[in-house]
Amino acid sequence: MSRPYVIDEMISAKAIAARIEELAKEISQEYADTEQVVVIGLLRGSFVFIADLARELDLPVEVDFMEVSSYGNEMVSSREVRILKDLRGQIEGRDVLVVEDIVDTGYTLSHVISLLKSRKPKRLKTIALLDKPSRREVDFKADYIGFEIPDEFVVGYGIDYAQRNRNLGYIGKVRFPE
Ligand code: IMP
């Protein structure tokens, strides 16, 4: 990635914080009866989101991480999703919330969810900060969504472009000036 680009703000840090507060309230109500909820972040894009969300949850929380890699481009037909790092803990019989940065084609989360379901959690829900419904290739909808966005490439708030811009406090749209 060598072409210079600019980043136009799409969702401010303030708007993200306000939306997370709302979502955390809904989730805290839904999981109110839990003994402990295992909040699972999908690395690396969700690391900022999970940090902010977990601190807003009014619930006993355990945090775990998983890293998966999607084969894009050259393996478009199979869209295989590989586990690079699995959970440290067990989820059988437990309440689980999977935290993702963006749902794009839907392959990553639908694969991760069917894998985690096979481990027989008691309750399994998903939250994605961003959703690009116009890009969907498999039928998948997260239970909680921060913001629906158009088909734009975004960075910031944990999300990268070629490993850059994860540390921006807001969500920005990548643009290549003529
Ligand atoms: P899906 O399997 O197509 O839903 O892939 C979702 C993953 O693609 C996300 O977790 C991101 O890592 C990546 N992704 C999708 N859209 C963007 C984007 O606009 N910016 C950066 N990464 C993206």
Side-chain angles (χ1 to χ4, degrees):
M1 193 278 306
S2 51
R3 262 173 87 198
Y5 60 93
V6 292
I7 299 169
D8 299 324
E9 183 172 294
M10 184 190 255
I11 307 170
S12 70
K14 209 171 151 193
I16 297 169
R19 183 69 183 124
I20 289 177
E21 208 178 298
E22 282 175 8
L23 289 165
K25 277 203 185 102
E26 284 179 44
I27 295 167
S28 299
Q29 278 169 12
E30 169 145 7
Y31 284 76
D33 60 350
T34 193
E35 224 172 89
Q36 189 166 44
V37 54
V38 187
V39 180
I40 298 175
L42 298 189
L43 294 171
R44 287 173 254 178
S46 71
F47 82 103
V48 177
F49 183 34
I50 195 175
D52 284 347
L53 178 69
R55 285 179 293 175
E56 289 293 331
L57 291 175
D58 187 16
L59 297 169
V61 159
E62 179 177 322
V63 174
D64 207 337
F65 292 97
M66 222 175 155
E67 185 173 7
V68 296
S69 93
S70 316
Y71 287 113
N73 312 325
E74 68 277 13
M75 295 187 71
V76 169
S77 56
S78 70
R79 293 282 193 176
E80 187 185 341
V81 177
R82 263 194 321 145
I83 297 185
L84 301 178
K85 182 210 169 297
D86 207 340
L87 300 174
R88 289 293 292 272
Q90 306 292 322
I91 57 165
E92 185 172 347
R94 306 187 68 191
D95 291 323
V96 174
L97 177 70
V98 177
V99 181
E100 173 65 312
D101 55 356
I102 308 182
V103 188
D104 188 40
T105 62
Y107 279 101
T108 306
L109 263 187
S110 59
H111 179 90
V112 166
I113 292 308
S114 62
L115 173 79
L116 295 180
K117 265 189 188 154
S118 71
R119 298 180 185 178
K120 306 203 170 12
K122 182 167 129 206
R123 178 159 39 187
L124 178 62
K125 300 260 171 183
T126 54
I127 178 166
L129 179 67
L130 304 175
D131 187 17
K132 294 187 198 172
S134 63
R135 293 264 307 159
R136 203 69 92 253
E137 290 178 27
V138 290
D139 185 22
F140 180 85
K141 190 150 177 31
D143 298 289
Y144 299 96
I145 290 162
F147 303 90
E148 255 189 33
I149 59 167
D151 181 12
E152 302 280 2
F153 197 85
V154 294
V155 291
Y157 200 73
I159 300 166
D160 75 305
Y161 178 30
Q163 299 308 325
R164 294 172 62 181
N165 310 122
R166 289 192 196 273
N167 57 330
L168 281 179
Y170 57 89
I171 299 287
K173 178 173 123 179
V174 170
R175 179 166 56 85
F176 294 93
E178 293 306 312

